[in-house]
Amino acid sequence: MTPSCEQPGEKKQTTLLFGACGRQAATYQSLGKLGLPRTFSTPVAPQRPAVNLLCSHCVASLWMLPSSSPTSLLYPRSPPPGVTGWEPGRFLPHQALGMEVTMVPGKGPSFPEPLREERDLQRLRDPTTVASELGYVFQAITLTRQRLAGRVPLIGFAGAPWTLMTYMVEGGGSSTMAQAKRWLYQRPQASHQLLRILTDALVPYLVGQVAAGAQALQLFESHAGHLGPQLFSKFALPYIRDVAKRVKAGLQEAGLAPVPMIIFAKDGHFALEELAQAGYEVVGLDWTVAPEKARDCVGKTVTLQGNLDPCALYASEEEIGQLVQQMLNDFGPRRYIANLGHGLYPDMDPEHVGAFVDAVHKHSRLLRQN
């Protein structure tokens, strides 16, 4: 089944990320099929939890908040040249499950009525209704895909079950995740019940994004580092695996072409080998992981994404170029997507983001030529 948003000349299985993931015989031929310039440079996808910056030759990511008018989600707010800004949408599954979420200036997401007791799980809506609750999101994705007109691939995304659970229990951000981890130790059965509910909600949400036009999917386990190896293996990894397995099965059942899936587990360096075997084509890395060690852990058949320290963008443009060159040398030109090791910060100069992208293009071309 071909999404209605597909543009003439697009090939729904030949995305930039498919090429980078080794799913196509020639990575840069796939760029041409998408109508993108054959720059012969490493794909680059800068990310940010609050405003994702999309450069003209980069991969697009969609970050949204509910709106009475889906078309209002399509347009950037005074972007720098060649860059488009989006708002966050990590908490849409929470809202579809019936939890109130507010965005507090200077603080971020806030849940006025967090889950405190096991009986609070009864307040949650049926996770199978998520797709019907988030129809406006899928509309926005389709409209965005049409507006992009094949210039860049569009990435859908969601938070992973454990990360979503932390916000529901903590009531917002936390430096320790102590309340959420308390649930894991004191209410393990209820924790698994909640994680299953979230997984059941995520699967139709992600499949729906692809049906609407998303050409790749990224799952963020942003709070992996709060768990450590044992808790991660028990309360995060099984659901990360389940999401990938069920989304791929859901796409097949819906008659949709498969799309590359990316898993990013911040501070989850202790689980790189397991993540590489979790059913995802790409494993994202934060800036604390050495590329050589990561490659040794994941093997040669998985694509790596990352991992420049976001704060490196506070450096001069000249130094950014040097740091990017070193990063590209460390990762090598194959099965690799250039990115930051986490999100951008609000006070970062967009010109320095552009310098990062330009440096990736410049130095990766030279690396391939040599």
Side-chain angles (χ1 to χ4, degrees):
M1 182 173 69
T2 301
S4 60
C5 58
E6 188 166 313
Q7 300 298 309
E10 281 191 342
K11 301 294 184 181
K12 60 183 178 179
Q13 293 191 36
T14 53
T15 69
L16 173 60
L17 285 180
F18 265 128
C21 297
R23 298 289 292 271
Q24 297 294 322
T27 299
Y28 297 98
Q29 287 181 3
S30 67
L31 297 182
K33 290 178 181 178
L34 274 176
L36 297 173
R38 289 192 181 92
T39 60
F40 290 90
S41 57
T42 297
V44 54
Q47 63 177 324
R48 179 200 186 311
V51 177
N52 195 52
L53 297 178
L54 165 63
C55 299
S56 58
H57 293 170
C58 298
V59 181
S61 288
L62 187 60
W63 309 80
M64 295 174 297
L65 281 175
S67 168
S68 58
S69 172
T71 56
S72 68
L73 300 170
L74 290 172
Y75 302 103
R77 298 174 181 171
S78 301
V83 177
T84 302
W86 300 102
E87 293 294 333
R90 187 173 306 188
F91 310 103
L92 292 173
H94 293 123
Q95 294 169 319
L97 288 172
M99 295 200 72
E100 181 183 355
V101 186
T102 60
M103 299 300 291
V104 180
K107 180 181 177 181
S110 176
F111 290 69
E113 297 184 33
L115 304 178
R116 294 303 187 198
E117 303 293 338
E118 185 172 347
R119 62 176 178 271
D120 290 339
L121 296 179
Q122 299 174 10
R123 291 164 28 201
L124 302 179
R125 296 174 185 161
D126 182 350
T128 62
T129 65
V130 165
S132 60
E133 293 285 341
L134 298 176
Y136 64 90
V137 176
F138 304 138
Q139 278 185 284
I141 291 174
T142 299
L143 290 169
T144 302
R145 173 77 179 275
Q146 291 172 343
R147 186 168 176 79
L148 288 172
R151 290 170 300 177
V152 287
L154 181 65
I155 302 180
F157 82 102
W162 158 247
T163 292
L164 296 180
M165 174 182 168
T166 63
Y167 287 101
M168 298 172 81
V169 175
E170 296 284 346
S174 167
S175 60
T176 64
M177 302 299 163
Q179 294 303 315
K181 291 179 71 175
R182 182 178 182 175
W183 267 59
L184 303 184
Y185 284 110
Q186 293 187 352
R187 305 182 180 95
Q189 292 184 343
S191 296
H192 281 298
Q193 181 182 354
L194 176 54
L195 290 164
R196 285 192 295 269
I197 290 172
L198 288 166
T199 300
D200 289 344
L202 282 171
V203 171
Y205 177 50
L206 290 169
V207 171
Q209 290 187 50
V210 176
Q215 295 161 285
L217 296 171
Q218 181 157 340
L219 194 70
F220 289 84
E221 192 65 282
S222 302
H223 299 160
H226 288 280
L227 292 176
Q230 292 184 338
L231 288 179
F232 185 84
S233 295
K234 186 176 181 180
F235 291 102
L237 186 60
Y239 301 99
I240 289 172
R241 287 173 174 155
D242 201 30
V243 167
K245 180 180 178 180
R246 291 173 58 187
V247 166
K248 292 182 178 185
L251 293 176
Q252 185 174 13
E253 291 173 5
L256 296 166
V259 299
M261 295 187 69
I262 308 163
I263 178 64
F264 175 76
K266 186 176 182 296
D267 297 322
H269 49 84
F270 51 80
L272 283 178
E273 186 174 352
E274 291 83 359
L275 289 169
Q277 300 172 10
Y280 296 78
E281 286 72 30
V282 183
V283 174
L285 305 175
D286 63 54
W287 70 95
T288 66
V289 183
E292 301 90 340
K293 292 183 178 179
R295 178 56 69 191
D296 289 341
C297 286
V298 307
K300 297 181 179 181
T301 60
V302 173
T303 295
L304 292 173
Q305 175 178 280
N307 73 334
L308 189 70
D309 181 355
C311 289
L313 298 190
Y314 290 126
S316 66
E317 294 188 15
E318 180 181 0
E319 186 175 359
I320 290 171
Q322 295 169 354
L323 293 170
V324 166
Q325 183 177 15
Q326 182 62 56
M327 178 181 72
L328 294 176
N329 288 339
D330 291 342
F331 277 101
R334 299 192 180 279
R335 293 193 178 277
Y336 173 55
I337 300 169
N339 204 334
L340 301 176
H342 199 229
L344 298 166
Y345 304 129
D347 63 344
M348 285 182 166
D349 186 346
E351 293 298 327
H352 285 209
V353 179
F356 166 73
V357 175
D358 291 342
V360 170
H361 290 159
K362 174 185 174 181
H363 292 297
S364 60
R365 289 191 194 102
L366 294 174
L367 186 63
R368 290 177 181 277
Q369 289 172 4
N370 295 332

